[in-house]
Amino acid sequence: MMGKVMTMAQAIGRFVPDGCSVLMGAALESLIPFAAGHEIIRQRRRNLTLIGPISDILFDQLIGAGCASRVIAAWVGNVSAGLAHNYRRAAEANTPHRLDIEDHSNFTLSLALLAGGLGAPFIPTKTLLGTDLLPGSQSFQLSSEPDTGAPLVHVQAITPDVAILQVQRSDREGNAHCWGNLGVSEEGGLASRGVIIVAEEVVSREMILSDPNRVLLPSAKVVAVVHEPWGAHPSPVQGFYGRDHGFYEQYHLASRTSEGFEQWLKGWVLDVEDRTGYLARLPKDRLNQLKPSQRRLAAPVDYGY
Amino acid sequence: MMGKVMTMAQAIGRFVPDGCSVLMGAALESLIPFAAGHEIIRQRRRNLTLIGPISDILFDQLIGAGCASRVIAAWVGNVSAGLAHNYRRAAEANTPHRLDIEDHSNFTLSLALLAGGLGAPFIPTKTLLGTDLLPGSQSFQLSSEPDTGAPLVHVQAITPDVAILQVQRSDREGNAHCWGNLGVSEEGGLASRGVIIVAEEVVSREMILSDPNRVLLPSAKVVAVVHEPWGAHPSPVQGFYGRDHGFYEQYHLASRTSEGFEQWLKGWVLDVEDRTGYLARLPKDRLNQLKPSQRRLAAPVDYGY
Amino acid sequence: MNQKLTYTMQEVMVAVAARQIRDGELVFVGMRLPLLAFAVAKRMHAPRAVGLFECGLMRDEPAPELLYTMSDPPNIAGAIWSTRMINLMGMLQQGAVQLGMIGGAEVDRFGNVNTSYIGSRQRPTVKLPGSGGAADIASLAGRFLIIMQHERRRFKERVDYITSPGFGEGGDWRRHVGLPGRGPAAIITTLGTLSFDPETKEAILASHHPGVTPDEVCRQTAWPLRVSPAVHETAPPTDEELAIIRHCDPDGFWTRP
Amino acid sequence: MNQKLTYTMQEVMVAVAARQIRDGELVFVGMRLPLLAFAVAKRMHAPRAVGLFECGLMRDEPAPELLYTMSDPPNIAGAIWSTRMINLMGMLQQGAVQLGMIGGAEVDRFGNVNTSYIGSRQRPTVKLPGSGGAADIASLAGRFLIIMQHERRRFKERVDYITSPGFGEGGDWRRHVGLPGRGPAAIITTLGTLSFDPETKEAILASHHPGVTPDEVCRQTAWPLRVSPAVHETAPPTDEELAIIRHCDPDGFWTRP
């Protein structure tokens, strides 16, 4: 029996086929699986539906590379630097090609994924009433409270084909520890048909099972475990590395034009074989600068009996 | 300004008035706030609405003592020993007085509390369709999926007045760490207007903030912090003490008759001043026997940057 | 214990239930006998089965000690996930859980289970504890097993109250009322095993336990119990199965009446 | 920076926003200027205010370092809760969050904010990033602040697209459409502060920042902006407020244009 541990190329090759829906960037500005996104670009996936609350610049890269035909998100941009240029070109000028946009807010996207994980058809809310996100959207159904007649929005469940979740550490079965803000990582993983775990460290089963409350989701959901140190760069991973703010700024400037983006893509993704190659292109010492300057250990917890 | 740390008598006196709705036993068979329940009995609270998925024998004691006029629960019994005698007497013979019972399943109760915490009026589900829990219940509304017409149950939100949650450790503001199975502790706390934290240990703010992912819920919800070691006995608290199975059996036998229960109540609750008095009545060495025989420390986690 | 037999009926029930667990399945495990059945299956034929406990736990290894409740400390330590109840219930409703096991005080011809009220709801003769998670398992699990004491007063033509839905009034009742799960696969009793007619969904005696005759089973059933043409004696627990059961429950807390 | 002034307009905005935070309030904090406003309020007059970050964090002390995003490691370490987004959004919908702060690309006469599409939705002139959590804050927070660059092209009679609802078409529109939050309390701009008429819900110039005249504000507004009879100069940031801002943003990443 083949195990779940595999290379990023194998994981993307097997579990992210053309036309599938893929959840990424679930934690928000941290733990963004950039290494996975770059492999999707290298394998020239097409017609993906990208799902994520905000994705910082990851979705912009996938859109610019022509991988996506649809985005279901609350926000697509560059968190520290501004607008997302490829996203703009796609929406404003169908460049590189047409992109369907299904607008959510952060709350409605998390409710949609929560509903997906609960096996519920929808969850009602009062957010977005009166806004232009509602008319004509497939994601929402207008309704009303049976007793009072007060307006309600039914947020329809979302069940992505696959979620790609970056974590600090995992065992070989996909029992994984994750800490820091979780965003929609848990809901998103539970809502998805399969989960690819991208781990900074692959550790022993004993280590993970020593703290079952820290486990993100059931390994039964996990289809692949990819050991990919620095897999989230330039986004941060608590306890492992900080955010590379300059890298976002650099991308922002480079991607202003299609040509600039193509060049950026060539240099950082297409002409690079894998994550090791990518890391080798970073300025000397960059990784060292991003490493924690101080350990901050969680207080001990005793599961003894 | 008076702080949140207070005795159990003060916390129950201030935050569990006659007629209020109170969530207890949220974790299921562990972390049951028996010390709080006993103080409620001593203060002779009346007309409470008890809310909890299963409560092991805690709700049975409160019902037998005449504190409750209504129960919203999925199960009321004695998990290791069988039926709940006071619950039976109340439902079958209005002894000590009439009890309204609102039947839930574990799933619907957790959905009701989830909805409460989300500020959603209800959450739809397919559980319980066709069962006798639905007709005439205020907790459920029959509906159907707009597209397919398939039947749905709308589980109405529950927002208890107060949740009493037992945890391993808390700081003086109610920032609390809890581990082991959580049941509906998080949903229940978030759904409630206020939370009383009962902690085995009151520790420093630094200790709690060293691990914010372990924090159960926001301290803004917490109205009281009670330092009550062994507060959950005879139910277990991971890392602190095991379950006192014999105590449940003993209660089961004692409570077979109203008279037997009265005597049990006198001995263990009414004639006892507080938790210290209760613990003093336990057989010598009982507490030592329940203490962990082995430490099982969670693997270290680094929040450094 | 039957004097001629070297095992108890509870041990037979555990072995029969264990054999219903398939390798790799996600199983909603209750307490008592189902918990032992999970342990037997894991060690015998279903090493990759995973157990879900509604209190908020998942385990891929049975706990190393006897459990009185699913929240006992040995069940938490070494779990592969310790979480909130709703996450496990959500997986159940998603259809990710292939098998669940429930007990009951009363069951009827179509596998409906009552654990709520005997007599009327307003003034019950006996108030039973209620659903717990059983009604959810019966509603939502791929299939489920009912594990019960076989007595005439418990096996009724029609239960007084449906807590956990079986096949309702039979036929395609489940589809009609909108239940996603496929319903009960078997009733495993102290006397035998009942399966369900694929069309009418009526319970049928499939096997009688060693030392029990089909007639005895029928006498302990308050409706005219159909007997399968293929009815046979339940395969008794093997030595290996018994060894596992007795390792898990050395004092017979759950398995020696 | 205005040559006569010893502070920037961004610093004025931060100080004005900070003064809107009351002690003990739960505040949905965004990034950039609101984050600085939270830090100022905490140290000045609202020591018991608590900040919520939609990525899944709550803090009762501002992070000790400048943040570029709310998920930056210094914002996680020392948080009082690190959790799932939905828990914070749930508190927002419960009505537990008294104040939220949002930015915007366009705002209109009734405080509606557009961060989605300039031009048509089908073929926009500019595709903006979208709501993020702003529409939720605008829908659900007790009250909220809009913090924006004041330019005529951004202050429009009617926004092209309502991402974050203000008062819609004015009057009791919010109640009519069913929004629980009370709506925007103020628009804090690079030129002044706008509040809302309690009846008509139209934006009114309440104060103009030091060095800015009411006329200039009106010229940078594409609808005929009403000026409050009580219009006055915005109280400039105090030395203490400035010290806190500059301690938090020493290089002026967010506060020096």
Side-chain angles (χ1 to χ4, degrees), chain A residues 1 116-120 159 175 186-187 190-192 205 208-209 212-221 303-305, chain C residues 26 48 50 57-58 60-61 64-65 73-84 86-87 89-91 93-94 96:
Chain A
M1 195 181 64
L118 288 177
T159 53
N175 298 300
E186 187 187 289
E187 292 81 3
L190 291 173
S192 299
R205 169 179 167 89
I208 300 297
L209 269 53
N213 282 87
R214 184 89 63 193
V215 171
L216 183 59
L217 44 71
S219 47
K221 280 267 176 198
Y303 282 89
Y305 62 89
Chain C
L26 269 60
R48 294 181 305 115
V50 176
L57 298 171
M58 266 177 94
D60 62 6
E61 276 300 321
E65 296 182 22
N75 210 33
I76 294 169
I80 58 170
W81 199 25
S82 180
T83 184
R84 293 163 288 116
I86 205 151
N87 281 339
M89 289 293 181
M91 293 182 72
Q93 186 164 244
Q94 278 184 320

Side-chain angles (χ1 to χ4, degrees), chain B:
Chain B
M1 193 183 65
M2 188 182 166
K4 292 181 185 174
V5 178
M6 58 187 79
T7 65
M8 186 65 84
Q10 290 171 324
I12 300 302
R14 288 183 57 185
F15 300 111
V16 188
D18 281 358
C20 82
S21 60
V22 51
L23 172 74
M24 291 187 280
L28 273 74
E29 296 94 344
S30 49
L31 296 162
I32 302 174
F34 278 100
H38 290 183
E39 184 58 31
I40 289 172
I41 294 173
R42 272 192 294 273
Q43 294 196 17
R44 302 201 173 277
R45 283 293 172 281
R46 289 296 176 265
N47 296 315
L48 300 181
T49 294
L50 305 177
I51 304 170
I54 73 157
S55 57
D56 220 320
I57 58 175
L58 177 57
F59 283 4
D60 192 63
Q61 295 172 9
L62 287 158
I63 291 164
C67 302
S69 59
R70 193 157 172 237
V71 173
I72 303 177
W75 195 93
V76 178
N78 184 322
V79 175
S80 55
L83 299 181
H85 300 302
N86 285 314
Y87 186 51
R88 284 195 57 183
R89 283 188 285 269
E92 296 164 18
N94 291 342
T95 303
H97 54 63
R98 191 180 141 68
L99 183 71
D100 281 342
I101 297 171
E102 212 165 307
D103 287 298
H104 268 268
S105 71
N106 274 339
F107 191 19
T108 60
L109 192 70
S110 59
L111 288 172
L113 293 168
L114 177 64
L118 287 177
F122 65 86
I123 296 182
T125 178
K126 289 179 173 291
T127 198
L128 300 193
L129 284 166
T131 71
D132 287 325
L133 282 85
L134 300 184
S137 169
Q138 296 170 40
S139 303
F140 309 116
Q141 212 151 27
L142 268 171
S143 182
S144 58
E145 290 198 57
D147 298 344
T148 61
L152 276 183
V153 179
H154 287 186
V155 181
Q156 306 300 303
I158 294 179
T159 53
D161 291 320
V162 63
I164 307 182
L165 300 176
Q166 176 90 30
V167 302
Q168 278 93 345
R169 63 194 181 203
S170 173
D171 73 9
R172 301 175 61 85
E173 283 300 308
N175 298 300
H177 281 174
C178 185
W179 58 96
N181 46 276
L182 297 176
V184 298
S185 305
E186 187 188 288
E187 292 82 1
L190 292 173
S192 300
R193 286 181 193 85
V195 173
I196 298 174
I197 291 285
V198 184
E200 291 294 324
E201 288 181 342
V202 173
V203 301
S204 70
R205 170 179 166 91
E206 289 65 38
M207 186 178 196
I208 300 296
L209 269 52
S210 76
D211 196 356
N213 281 87
R214 185 87 65 191
V215 171
L216 183 58
L217 43 73
S219 47
K221 280 269 177 195
V222 177
V223 294
V225 176
V226 178
H227 180 210
E228 194 78 286
W230 298 89
H233 177 274
S235 73
V237 176
Q238 199 79 16
F240 286 76
Y241 43 92
R243 190 172 188 267
D244 189 348
H245 308 299
F247 199 91
Y248 287 87
E249 183 66 21
Q250 204 186 351
Y251 175 79
H252 188 64
L253 298 173
S255 61
R256 279 223 163 109
T257 62
S258 289
E259 299 68 36
F261 170 72
E262 293 300 339
Q263 214 171 335
W264 184 95
L265 196 67
K266 197 164 145 32
W268 289 102
V269 180
L270 297 175
D271 283 0
V272 156
E273 200 176 329
D274 55 16
R275 198 61 172 177
T276 311
Y278 167 98
L279 295 172
R281 299 208 167 196
L282 285 170
K284 239 188 163 68
D285 266 352
R286 177 71 58 89
L287 298 187
N288 272 331
Q289 286 155 10
L290 296 173
K291 280 187 190 158
S293 60
Q294 205 190 330
R295 282 167 72 86
R296 294 167 187 266
L297 290 182
V301 156
D302 185 3
Y303 283 88
Y305 62 90

